[in-house]
Amino acid sequence: MALFEQSKRWPKEEQYALTDQVRRSSRSVCANLSEAWAKRGYPRHFASKLSDAHAEAEETLTWVRFAERCGYLDADVATALAAQYRQINAGLLRMISTRDRWCAPAHRP
């Protein structure tokens, strides 16, 4: 949501380019994580959706860098957002590597 709030201030000419892309990828991280959780009864599907969330978070990091370089994000804000997405990615990678812990038989439908 912090990134969404920042993107509200970006130039109108970026509405269908950078603004739209960063909003889609950042929202997709959450959506894919929700889908992964719903599929935790199936370890391969669970890991696949977590991998999708990871890829979307990496894409979001790329858009944050573009926004900073274009002067739409203050360097401190961009650094803080990037740190949050790196933390999210670290958690997603840990979940992928320990998927059996998250997909215990008790969670299976």
Side-chain angles (χ1 to χ4, degrees):
M1 291 309 299
L3 185 51
F4 174 78
E5 291 300 322
Q6 287 292 322
S7 73
K8 287 180 179 179
R9 301 183 191 116
W10 297 353
K12 210 59 162 160
E13 64 265 16
E14 291 288 3
Q15 183 175 358
Y16 298 108
L18 182 61
T19 304
D20 186 53
Q21 291 291 349
V22 77
R23 286 178 179 178
R24 283 184 195 211
S25 64
S26 62
R27 288 173 178 164
S28 189
V29 175
C30 300
N32 280 299
L33 183 55
S34 294
E35 286 185 55
W37 192 248
K39 293 183 176 191
R40 69 190 182 279
Y42 310 94
R44 287 188 179 137
H45 293 292
F46 178 73
S48 176
K49 293 313 290 184
L50 290 176
S51 177
D52 291 345
H54 175 260
E56 293 291 343
E58 285 295 329
E59 180 183 343
T60 302
L61 275 168
T62 300
W63 296 125
V64 166
R65 289 184 196 108
F66 271 112
E68 179 185 13
R69 296 242 166 88
C70 290
Y72 307 148
L73 279 178
D74 179 75
D76 291 338
V77 172
T79 298
L81 287 167
Q84 288 174 344
Y85 275 92
R86 281 194 296 277
Q87 186 176 12
I88 289 166
N89 271 333
L92 290 167
L93 291 173
R94 275 192 307 276
M95 287 179 79
I96 291 168
S97 68
T98 60
R99 71 178 180 214
D100 290 339
R101 176 178 159 214
W102 300 96
C103 297
H107 295 302
R108 293 197 178 118

